[in-house]
Amino acid sequence: MSNEFMSEYEPLLIKGIKDKKRLKLPNKSLPLAVFAACVGGTFQYGYNISIINGPTKYVQNFINHTWMERYHTNISENGLTLLWSTIVSIFTLGGLIGVSIGGTLSVRLGRKGTLLTNNIFSLTAALLMGLSSTAGSFELLIIGRLLCGVNAGIALCVQPLYLGEIAPTALRGATGMGTSVFITGGILTGQVMGLKEVLGKEEYWPILLSTTFIPAVLQLIILPWFPESPRYLLIDKGDDEGCKKALRQLHGLSECDAALEDIKKERNNLVGFHARKPWELFSDGSVRWQLLTIVLLNMAQQLNGINAIYFYADYVFRQSGIPSERIPYATVGTGACECITALTCGLLIECLGRKVLITGGYILMSVCCILFTLTLTFQDVSPIFPYLSMACVFAFILSFGLGPGGVTNILTAELFTQTARPAAFMISGSINWLSFFFIGLIFPFIVLGFQQYCFLVFLMVCSLVAIYIFFVVPETKNKTFVEIQKDFQSFNKRKSRGSDGASSILLSTPL
C-alpha cells in the first residue's frame, strides 16, 4: 500500500522539490543588473512623462516672453496653446521613432550596447532644455523633448528584451517587472521633483527639465560592469565563452549549467533562422496568435482608461474638498499608489502567474469603471459620493498596476523566441506609442461627448481584453521560451483543425 502511495504521489513530490529550487533567491548580480538597465531605461520614460506637468505655467510664460522679445507683441492664445501642445506631444513622436529603430539597434549593437548608446539622446536633450531659457529659444525645448521621446522609445523596446533574456526561467516574471516598477518610480520621482519645495519654483524650471541627465549618467557608470545578454551572445553571436561568463556572473555557478542548456535548446530550435523583420512576422502563420495577443494587449494598455482616471483625478480631488494648492500632493499620492502596486505585482507574479494577474486586473478595472460612472453621475446627490469617487480613482490605479501595467511587457518578451523577439518589441512598442498618441488626440472629444459616461467605453475595452486573455493566452510561469512556443503551436493546430472541420461540414452540406 505504501509503495502504491509513493508511486502515485512521487511526481508531485518531485514537482514540489523543483518548485522550491525555482524559488531560490537570485544571485546578487542579477538585481543590480536590473537596476543598472532600468535606471537609464524605462525610468526615463516615466520621469519625462510626469516632469513636464509641474512647470506648465512657467514654460508658457517663457514662451510668451520670448515671443514678445522677438516680435514685440504678445503671442495669441491659440499660438501659445499650439506651441505648448507641441512641446508636450512631440515626446510621443520621438517615442515612435525610438521604438522603430530600437529592435534593429538591439541586434546590431546588442541589448546592453544599445542601452548605453541610448544615453546620448538623453544627455543631449538635458543640455538643450537646460540652455533653452538662457538662449531664449523655445525651439530647444521642442528638440529636447523629441530626443527624450527617442530615448524613451528605444528604452521601452530594448530594456524589457534585456531583462527577459538575463533572468532565470523561474524569476523571469519578477525580473521583467523591473520595467513597470521603474516606469512608476520615474513618474513618482518626476511628481516629487516638480513640487515647490524641490524644483517647482519658476526660476528652477530649466534645471528641473535638465535633471533627466542624472539617470543617464548613473546608467553609464553602473551598466558597463554587467554582461551582455547571454542569449544574445550565444544565439546571435555564437560566443559560447562569453555566454558562460555572463551566466556565471548573473545566475551564479550553481545555476549556470541549467541556464546554458536551456539557451542551447532554443538555439538548436532556431538553426537556419535569422533575426526576423517586423513585416516577416505579419506573414508568418506560426506566430499569428502571439502577434495578435501583443497587439491587443499594447493597444489596451493605453485605451483602458488609465489616462482618463488621471484626467478626472484633479476634478475628484477638488470635489472632495482638497484645496487647489494641495492637489499636487494628492497627485503624488496616486503616483506612489501605482509604484507600490507595481512592486506588489513583482512579488506576486511568480506565485500567481501572469494570466491570473492580468486577467484579474482587467476584471477589477471593469468593475471600477462601472462604480466610477455611478459615483460621478450622483456626485451632487450626497457629500459621500466625492469620497467614493476618490476611492474609485485609487482602486482603478491599483488594479492597473497589479496586472496590465506590469504584465504586458513581460508577455511580449515571453511569447516569442530569440530571432523574433526584437521585431515583436518593435511592433508592440509602435502599437503602444500610436495608441498613446491616439488616446491623447481623441480623449478630449470622448470626455466632451460622453462626459462621465466615457468610462463605459473603457469598460467595454477592459471586459473584451479580459475575455480574450482568459480563452487565448496560456500561462507562461516557469516555462522556457521553447515550451511557450510549443503551447502556441498546439493552440494554432487546434484552431486549424477546427476551421478545417467547419469547412468540410459546409462542403458536405447539400445545397
Side-chain angles (χ1 to χ4, degrees), residues 81 373 505:
T81 303
T373 301
I505 290 169

Side-chain angles (χ1 to χ4, degrees), residues 363-378:
I363 291 171
L364 289 172
M365 288 165 72
S366 301
V367 173
C368 289
C369 284
I370 297 169
L371 295 176
F372 200 43
T373 301
L374 291 173
T375 57
L376 287 174
T377 302
F378 298 109

Side-chain angles (χ1 to χ4, degrees), residues 189 220 235:
T189 306
L220 287 170
I235 299 174

Side-chain angles (χ1 to χ4, degrees), residues 169-247:
T169 300
L171 293 170
R172 198 170 56 229
T175 303
M177 278 304 300
T179 297
S180 177
V181 169
F182 276 82
I183 287 175
T184 55
I187 291 171
L188 177 60
T189 306
Q191 290 169 342
V192 171
M193 294 291 282
L195 295 175
K196 287 187 177 180
E197 290 81 356
V198 189
L199 289 174
K201 293 181 180 178
E202 185 161 10
E203 61 268 27
Y204 296 144
W205 72 260
I207 300 172
L208 177 64
L209 295 182
S210 66
T211 51
T212 187
F213 85 92
I214 298 172
V217 170
L218 277 174
Q219 186 176 72
L220 287 170
I221 293 171
I222 303 171
L223 188 57
W225 294 95
F226 296 96
E228 178 56 87
S229 156
R231 289 179 184 275
Y232 174 79
L233 290 171
L234 185 64
I235 299 174
D236 291 75
K237 292 298 179 183
D239 184 357
D240 286 55
E241 283 305 313
C243 175
K244 289 176 185 175
K245 185 179 177 182
L247 287 172

Side-chain angles (χ1 to χ4, degrees), residues 307-324:
N307 298 299
I309 283 290
Y310 280 114
F311 176 85
Y312 269 99
D314 280 8
Y315 167 75
V316 169
F317 293 149
R318 283 195 300 271
Q319 288 292 102
S320 302
I322 297 174
S324 296

Side-chain angles (χ1 to χ4, degrees), residues 251-270:
H251 296 189
L253 288 171
S254 60
E255 304 293 326
C256 173
D257 291 337
L260 183 61
E261 190 63 30
D262 175 37
I263 298 173
K264 284 182 176 178
K265 281 182 184 176
E266 186 174 354
R267 181 180 64 176
N268 293 337
N269 279 352
L270 297 172

